[in-house]
Amino acid sequence: MRRTTSPFSLVLLGLGTFLLVLAPLLAWYVEPRAAVNPIDIDTTAVYTGRGSVFDTDRIETVPDRKITVTQRVRGNVEDSERSGNAVWDVTTTVDTDKSLPAADPHDALDFVPHRWVMDRKTTRPVHCCGEKPYIEGEAYLKFPFDVQKRSYQWWDNTLGDTVVLRYRGTAKIQGYTGYKFTGSVPPTKTGTRMVPGSLVDQKNRPQVLAEEWYSNHGFELVVDQATGRVLYAQTGPKRTLRAPGGKKDAAVLLDSRKVSFTTATQKEAVRQAKKDSGQLRMVGTTLPIGAAVGGFVLAVAGGVLVARGRKEPESPVPADTSGTPQPTLTM
């Protein structure tokens, strides 16, 4: 008797081997290449809160006004493809009810356009493609992929420098758990502005090059661990004017203890985080584990079938009926 191998057992063995090879490729090759920042992003985040703002019509600071901050991020696909980086154009407007709705963002209380260029994998800033300002640090608008339980250098565009955000555990946003980071900014001179002298207690001078000062009562960010997407953001900006060389604030331009993501912005951020982190988890964990388990089972089954084979009787040697003696092989 002899054994033969069935095509079915070879198919099982081959498929199992393929899946065993595929599993580490998905985890170590495909998943890292899937974790990249998009170039065609188009999102809007809205913050609301209350605070004091400078009324240009009344030439004075008015308290307890509703403040709306709108931040729109759009990817420049052409520049991104040309450079190989993610090129995002960002506009940030600060409004009160007086300037909303605004047909032109330039009519807002404050309007700041800028461009952020980053490495698509690491989220580190890249200095090219008309980047403005010169952004530094580890994170801005979003954190890197695979967020760690440590402090990060976060770029504060108003400050024009980085702020240390420290890890503070986890927090739930709309039922979804993220990593929480907090930080603050002490009063810091950020520039100068020509204003009427009376505005900074210099009534005998028609125009004064006043100093602009900025501080922040506190940042609070809750971030998706897998993707680095910001699920919740809270900030407490304070912008003031001082007389040249002054030691105290003479005029308040903006002061709010808390301006934070609206509920709608939180829900959209959580929806996107669930979607993106789910895709990364599928490519990096679910599929590799499934492929490894399935490949092992199929390979073992195929190997057993190949080893056992199918028994077939050996063909008998036909008898010589001619009566002629058969030659003997000799050396």
Side-chain angles (χ1 to χ4, degrees):
M1 302 291 284
R2 64 187 180 89
R3 298 179 182 274
T4 61
T5 302
S6 70
F8 178 69
S9 61
L10 293 176
V11 169
L12 287 182
L13 182 59
L15 182 58
T17 302
F18 170 76
L19 291 176
L20 288 174
V21 173
L22 179 63
L25 284 177
L26 287 171
W28 300 334
Y29 184 84
V30 177
E31 193 270 343
R33 284 157 180 77
V36 294
N37 293 302
I39 62 175
D40 58 349
I41 188 173
D42 188 350
T43 65
T44 300
V46 180
Y47 303 66
T48 58
R50 303 194 73 84
S52 301
V53 298
F54 188 81
D55 190 315
T56 55
D57 293 333
R58 297 166 57 176
I59 316 297
E60 64 179 358
T61 302
V62 292
D64 196 29
R65 291 294 187 267
K66 181 180 179 182
I67 299 171
T68 301
V69 179
T70 305
Q71 190 172 65
R72 183 161 192 183
V73 183
R74 288 178 128 178
N76 189 307
V77 176
E78 183 179 353
D79 287 354
S80 297
E81 290 178 341
R82 185 185 302 116
S83 67
N85 302 301
V87 181
W88 292 3
D89 291 319
V90 187
T91 58
T92 304
T93 58
V94 181
D95 291 278
T96 61
D97 287 342
K98 181 179 177 180
S99 60
L100 283 176
D104 186 343
H106 293 82
D107 295 334
L109 183 68
D110 195 20
F111 170 72
V112 181
H114 55 287
R115 169 170 282 194
W116 182 32
V117 185
M118 74 183 117
D119 184 284
R120 296 190 65 192
K121 295 180 181 178
T122 66
T123 315
R124 287 277 187 172
V126 177
H127 307 300
C128 74
C129 317
E131 171 214 26
K132 185 179 180 181
Y134 191 92
I135 294 174
E136 298 178 303
E138 299 174 280
Y140 174 51
L141 302 182
K142 74 177 296 292
F143 278 60
F145 293 92
D146 189 25
V147 180
Q148 303 299 303
K149 297 178 180 180
R150 64 172 179 83
S151 296
Y152 281 84
Q153 294 286 337
W154 175 268
W155 175 260
D156 183 340
N157 203 53
T158 304
L159 178 65
D161 202 349
T162 58
V163 178
V164 177
L165 295 186
R166 293 178 171 80
Y167 175 72
R168 301 298 187 186
T170 61
K172 282 187 177 293
I173 303 299
Q174 302 298 323
Y176 188 80
T177 302
Y179 284 3
K180 180 179 176 180
F181 296 86
T182 63
S184 61
V185 178
T188 306
K189 181 182 176 181
T190 57
T192 57
R193 178 187 299 193
M194 189 66 71
V195 300
S198 60
L199 196 60
V200 289
D201 301 328
Q202 302 277 319
K203 296 181 180 181
N204 59 332
R205 302 174 63 183
Q207 295 289 319
V208 174
L209 191 62
E211 298 176 356
E212 293 189 56
W213 285 70
Y214 165 74
S215 60
N216 201 295
H217 298 292
F219 292 98
E220 181 180 319
L221 300 178
V222 180
V223 183
D224 178 42
Q225 189 277 329
T227 65
R229 178 181 289 274
V230 177
L231 308 172
Y232 174 82
Q234 174 184 314
T235 181
K238 182 178 182 180
R239 296 171 55 197
T240 63
L241 294 177
R242 295 184 184 183
K247 301 299 182 182
K248 63 178 182 178
D249 298 331
V252 174
L253 301 178
L254 174 68
D255 186 11
S256 176
R257 303 290 302 187
K258 176 182 176 182
V259 181
S260 61
F261 271 6
T262 63
T263 300
T265 298
Q266 294 176 40
K267 289 182 177 179
E268 177 60 18
V270 168
R271 185 190 70 81
Q272 287 287 351
K274 286 181 177 179
K275 174 186 173 184
D276 295 342
S277 61
Q279 291 175 345
L280 290 178
R281 185 166 54 251
M282 180 179 66
V283 174
T285 303
T286 306
L287 289 180
I289 292 176
V293 173
F296 176 77
V297 172
L298 292 176
V300 169
V304 170
L305 291 176
V306 168
R308 293 175 61 183
R310 184 177 64 213
K311 295 182 179 180
E312 291 185 356
E314 297 184 3
S315 301
V317 178
D320 184 5
T321 58
S322 62
T324 305
Q326 297 297 318
T328 302
L329 181 64
T330 58
M331 298 298 292

